[in-house]
Each structure stands twice: as structure tokens, then as C-alpha cells.
């Protein structure tokens, strides 16, 4: 089977830069620019404060958070993706609310604490130490703050892993919770799989499953 040029890349920075350059649609972006449904659902009732988004991509979630009153730090490995988000922030008058930071999460370590830390669909076809990154993210949560992790509960239609029996299973929200190895002083607020109906490319309406975990640092 033929592979696209970015699929052949194994260096994460090169892979994502190539993907964000080669997969852009008519809008000049790869993704829709809309907030992820689980992020909107889990954050809408929270009091805005400071937020850190890990793997922000083109900034759909970061832009929404800023629009809700959060002060956001958006981290991603791709300068191309961050440039798309920054341009949109300028259009929306949100420049002062979002700091766009190019960072390789594989080597990233928190240098501050936030009221909300989010990681939505932090999956990668190239090497990504996801469990290690999320464990580090725990220390970026301020007392009283929250960590929100949203992942695929099942491979999306058309994914290269959709019918690959050798592909490792996607972790459930409960498995993500266990892997965090949270210390005392945390409480679980959401730990579930959520189905949602979406219009998926040229396949019509399909059901996607999200694994959603929200935990709060009490002290």
C-alpha cells in the first residue's frame, strides 16, 4: 500500500509540520476550527481562569476557551498549526488571551500551574509517550484546578488502525485514570465513554466514541 510523504516520516516534528502543510482544505486549515464536543460539555460550567492545552493543533479548543474568558497557553509541536490558530485569534480579537507555544510534549515539563489543563485527542501515528505526558500534566494543575483528558474510545472510520488487529487498543477513561497514578487529594468528576453522532467526511452520519476523564485537584 502506498503511503503519503508525511506518513513515511518518523520524526514527530517533521511529521506534524508536513501534515499541517499538506492536508489543508479550502479554509487553509486541516481541522474545522470548532471546539471538541467533550471539551465544550466538560468546561462550560466551570469558572474561567488560566488554562493549558496540550497538543493544541490549530487551536479550536484554545480559541473557544479564550472566548469563554479563559487565559490560555496553547502548546503544540507544529509551528504551522500554531500559525493558523494565531491568525484566527487575531481575527476574533483574542490575541491577548492566548499564548501560542511551540513545544515537543515528549520532552516538555511544566513550569507553571493552571486552573485547567486539557489534552484532547492526544494520539499520534508517530512516537508519542502519551502516558508520561499526562502524568507530567498532573503537576501542572493548581490546587482546586482540573485535568481534562479526551481521547478516542474507538478508532474513527477510515483510520489506518480501524481494521488493524495488530494495533494496540485505545485506552478507556478508566485506564487513563489508572495510568495517571494520582496522589491523595484528587477527586474524579467524569470517567466515561460518550457516543456522539457526527457527519464524517463522505461517509454520512457515523457514531464516534470519546473516552472522557475529568479529575480535580482538591488540595
Amino acid at each position: 500500500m502506498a503511503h503519503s510523504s508525511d506518513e513515511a516520516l518518523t520524526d514527530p516534528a517533521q511529521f506534524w509540520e508536513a501534515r499541517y502543510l499538506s492536508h489543508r482544505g479550502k479554509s487553509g486549515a486541516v481541522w474545522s476550527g470548532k471546539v471538541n464536543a467533550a471539551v465544550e460539555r466538560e468546561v462550560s460550567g466551570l469558572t474561567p481562569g488560566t488554562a493549558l492545552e496540550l497538543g493544541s493543533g490549530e487551536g479550536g479548543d484554545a480559541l473557544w476557551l479564550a472566548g469563554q474568558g479563559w487565559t490560555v497557553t496553547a502548546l503544540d509541536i507544529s509551528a504551522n498549526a500554531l500559525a493558523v490558530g494565531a491568525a484566527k485569534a487575531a481575527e476574533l480579537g483574542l490575541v491577548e488571551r492566548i499564548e501560542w507555544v511551540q513545544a515537543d510534549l515528549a520532552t516538555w515539563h511544566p513550569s507553571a500551574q493552571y486552573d485547567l489543563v486539557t489534552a484532547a485527542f492526544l494520539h499520534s501515528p508517530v512516537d508519542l509517550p502519551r502516558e508520561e505526558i499526562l502524568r507530567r500534566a498532573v503537576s501542572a494543575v493548581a490546587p482546586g484546578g482540573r485535568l481534562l483528558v479526551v481521547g478516542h474510545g474507538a478508532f474513527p472510520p477510515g483510520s489506518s488502525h480501524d481494521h488493524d488487529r495488530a494495533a494496540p487498543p485505545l485506552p478507556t477513561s478508566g485506564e487513563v485514570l489508572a495510568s495517571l497514578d494520582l496522589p491523595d487529594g484528587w477527586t474524579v468528576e467524569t470517567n466515561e465513554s460518550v457516543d456522539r453522532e457526527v457527519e464524517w467526511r463522505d461517509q454520512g452520519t457515523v457514531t464516534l466514541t470519546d473516552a472522557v476523564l475529568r479529575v480535580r485537584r482538591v488540595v
Side-chain angles (χ1 to χ4, degrees):
M1 179 182 294
H3 295 277
S4 66
S5 58
D6 60 4
E7 288 174 328
L9 296 172
T10 58
D11 176 78
Q14 292 180 2
F15 174 89
W16 288 109
E17 291 291 18
R19 180 174 176 83
Y20 280 110
L21 279 176
S22 64
H23 288 60
R24 290 178 177 174
K26 293 180 180 178
S27 66
V30 174
W31 307 111
S32 69
K34 298 178 180 178
V35 61
N36 284 299
V39 173
E40 182 176 13
R41 184 179 63 251
E42 294 294 323
V43 177
S44 287
L46 304 182
T47 301
T50 57
L52 171 68
E53 185 185 1
L54 304 178
S56 61
E58 294 168 325
D61 289 352
L63 293 162
W64 179 84
L65 287 166
Q68 299 300 304
W70 294 83
T71 300
V72 184
T73 300
L75 270 61
D76 200 88
I77 197 170
S78 170
N80 288 316
L82 293 170
V84 172
K88 191 65 177 178
E91 280 183 34
L92 298 174
L94 297 173
V95 170
E96 300 301 318
R97 286 204 168 273
I98 309 176
E99 180 183 10
W100 305 92
V101 179
Q102 185 178 10
D104 183 350
L105 293 178
T107 57
W108 161 83
H109 289 271
S111 58
Q113 292 188 324
Y114 303 82
D115 300 309
L116 175 68
V117 178
T118 69
F121 303 107
L122 192 61
H123 304 287
S124 175
V126 290
D127 187 49
L128 181 75
R130 185 173 185 262
E131 287 189 5
E132 293 177 23
I133 294 166
L134 295 178
R135 281 194 290 268
R136 283 187 232 130
V138 169
S139 64
V141 180
R146 293 169 171 85
L147 172 64
L148 173 62
V149 182
V150 181
H152 292 301
F155 291 113
S159 164
S160 60
H161 297 302
D162 196 15
H163 301 292
D164 184 358
R165 294 183 180 181
L170 291 163
T172 65
S173 57
E175 289 169 338
V176 172
L177 175 61
S179 73
L180 292 178
D181 194 24
L182 293 172
D184 293 338
W186 289 76
T187 185
V188 178
E189 296 183 325
T190 304
N191 180 11
E192 62 183 353
S193 293
V194 180
D195 290 339
R196 55 189 170 94
E197 301 292 318
V198 300
E199 292 296 320
W200 189 258
R201 299 168 185 171
D202 59 351
Q203 301 184 42
T205 302
V206 301
T207 300
L208 300 181
T209 303
D210 297 337
V212 184
L213 176 69
R214 191 180 84 186
V215 292
R216 180 171 181 261
R217 181 181 172 187
V218 180
V219 295

